[in-house]
Amino acid sequence: LFIKIKWILSHAKPVIPFLIFTTVISSASSLISVYNTLVSKSLIDSAIGGNTSEVIKYLIIMIIITLSMMLLSPITSLLSTHASTKLNQSIQKKIFEHIEYSNWLEQSKFHSVSLLTRITSDVSTISSTLLNTIPSIISILVTLFASFSTLIYLAPSIAIIAVFIGPFLVLVSRYFSKKLKDLYKKAQEEDVKYRAFIQESVQNIMIVKTFCMEKINMNRLVQIQDNKYKIAMKNTKLSSMTGLAMSLCSNLAYFTIFCWGALNISTGVTTYGTFTAMLQLYSKVQYPFSSLAAM
């Protein structure tokens, strides 16, 4: 894994400025999102308390935050398209150059469709990992730290529940991830077989017709499609089991917090604004764990 990451980063030089910019922006957005939760808490408490001037102040803050996030979105989108296109083209050019100048006997070990898949879809996966996954992971960790710190300040007991559920979600996903990885690899290999078969059949259609191989080819196609179907169904079953386990844990914790908040409001221990802030913060703590598990 370290060698693979090192290889990916060696091709990342042209987009490092964008990578840094995206990471900073996404991290700042995470902090603003957590701050917005506290603003909404204060807004609700001020509204219930009948403090109109405070309500107006917090409404203005929320409008500024919303507009800022809206303005950042198209700028980030444009830069993302620029960076991903440049990175894709750079890696594709290097791989294509490597193929062009490689030893023919070594190159002939690979099917042309297999090489094409490496140049196209595999490069896109690498580019996405570098430009999207890495900044997302950093942003998620920032969200987790900020949300958890705020949740401890508002309700330490709820923070403990969130911390207990979070690692469990990661462990559940870790259990299924190896099986999903193997299935993904098999699916990619089967896809290469499928494309190679179609390409060869179309290119050599005259030979197929000359030797009356239409029925043989159709049987071969059905066989490959059956294999693709079986792999897709296994993948969906495993993904569904993972999602079900994670959803059950998350909803159970959410329901516990909801009950705790409702009972505390009824006894006057906590305010409605604090209750809504806790629900939002729990979602922001739970989301990073779920996202990290998914990644």
Side-chain angles (χ1 to χ4, degrees):
L1 182 63
F2 175 76
I3 292 169
K4 289 173 185 175
I5 292 171
K6 188 179 177 183
W7 185 89
I8 291 171
L9 291 176
S10 69
H11 293 275
K13 291 178 183 177
V15 294
I16 283 176
F18 168 79
L19 194 60
I20 294 169
F21 175 79
T22 306
T23 304
V24 170
I25 291 296
S26 58
S27 300
S29 298
S30 299
L31 291 173
I32 292 169
S33 178
V34 174
Y35 175 68
N36 199 34
T37 302
L38 295 176
V39 172
S40 66
K41 169 193 173 301
S42 301
L43 175 63
I44 291 169
D45 287 340
S46 299
I48 292 172
N51 192 335
T52 307
S53 60
E54 287 292 301
V55 169
I56 293 170
K57 182 182 83 172
Y58 288 119
L59 281 173
I60 292 170
I61 293 172
M62 288 187 80
I63 291 168
I64 291 170
I65 290 172
T66 304
L67 289 174
S68 300
M69 299 299 285
M70 286 172 62
L71 288 171
L72 279 174
S73 181
I75 296 171
T76 308
S77 180
L78 285 168
L79 287 171
S80 176
T81 303
H82 166 77
S84 62
T85 304
K86 287 291 183 184
L87 184 62
N88 276 341
Q89 290 176 347
S90 173
I91 298 175
Q92 285 171 349
K93 181 183 174 184
K94 287 179 182 179
I95 294 175
F96 184 76
E97 184 181 27
H98 180 73
I99 292 169
E100 287 288 293
Y101 289 101
S102 64
N103 182 281
W104 185 84
L105 286 174
E106 293 298 320
Q107 183 185 319
S108 62
K109 293 177 183 178
F110 298 92
H111 194 280
S112 58
V113 172
S114 180
L115 294 175
L116 183 63
T117 302
R118 284 163 166 76
I119 294 173
T120 53
S121 62
D122 288 356
V123 169
S124 296
T125 303
I126 291 167
S127 175
S128 175
T129 300
L130 191 62
L131 297 175
N132 298 323
T133 306
I134 293 175
S136 294
I137 288 173
I138 295 171
S139 171
I140 283 166
L141 292 173
V142 170
T143 303
L144 178 62
F145 177 76
S147 301
F148 183 67
S149 301
T150 311
L151 198 56
I152 285 179
Y153 171 72
L154 292 175
S157 56
I158 301 302
I160 292 168
I161 293 172
V163 165
F164 174 75
I165 293 294
F168 182 75
L169 294 177
V170 176
L171 287 173
V172 167
S173 71
R174 185 65 183 165
Y175 174 76
F176 289 106
S177 66
K178 270 194 172 183
K179 295 179 180 178
L180 286 169
K181 185 179 178 181
D182 291 338
L183 279 174
Y184 177 78
K185 189 176 180 182
K186 286 178 182 176
Q188 289 289 86
E189 290 170 353
E190 207 63 35
D191 192 50
V192 168
K193 286 181 188 177
Y194 180 74
R195 292 185 186 188
F197 172 75
I198 296 294
Q199 185 196 57
E200 288 173 1
S201 298
V202 172
Q203 281 182 343
N204 302 299
I205 192 69
M206 186 58 70
I207 296 172
V208 172
K209 289 181 177 294
T210 302
F211 291 95
C212 301
M213 295 175 63
E214 292 91 344
K215 190 173 181 181
I216 294 171
N217 269 14
M218 288 305 300
N219 290 336
R220 177 64 179 147
L221 177 67
V222 170
Q223 184 185 351
I224 295 172
Q225 286 182 332
D226 284 344
N227 289 339
K228 283 170 68 69
Y229 171 78
K230 287 174 184 175
I231 291 170
M233 289 303 293
K234 283 182 181 178
N235 190 20
T236 303
K237 285 176 184 176
L238 273 174
S239 298
S240 298
M241 287 170 66
T242 309
L244 181 64
M246 294 172 73
S247 179
L248 180 65
C249 295
S250 298
N251 287 328
L252 184 63
Y254 186 84
F255 182 71
T256 303
I257 294 169
F258 200 90
C259 292
W260 182 89
L263 290 170
N264 279 347
I265 287 175
S266 66
T267 55
V269 175
T270 189
T271 64
Y272 184 71
T274 302
F275 174 54
T276 55
M278 282 193 310
L279 290 177
Q280 291 179 60
L281 285 168
Y282 170 72
S283 297
K284 291 184 185 300
V285 170
Q286 183 266 332
Y287 165 75
F289 282 116
S290 299
S291 299
L292 284 170
M295 286 181 183

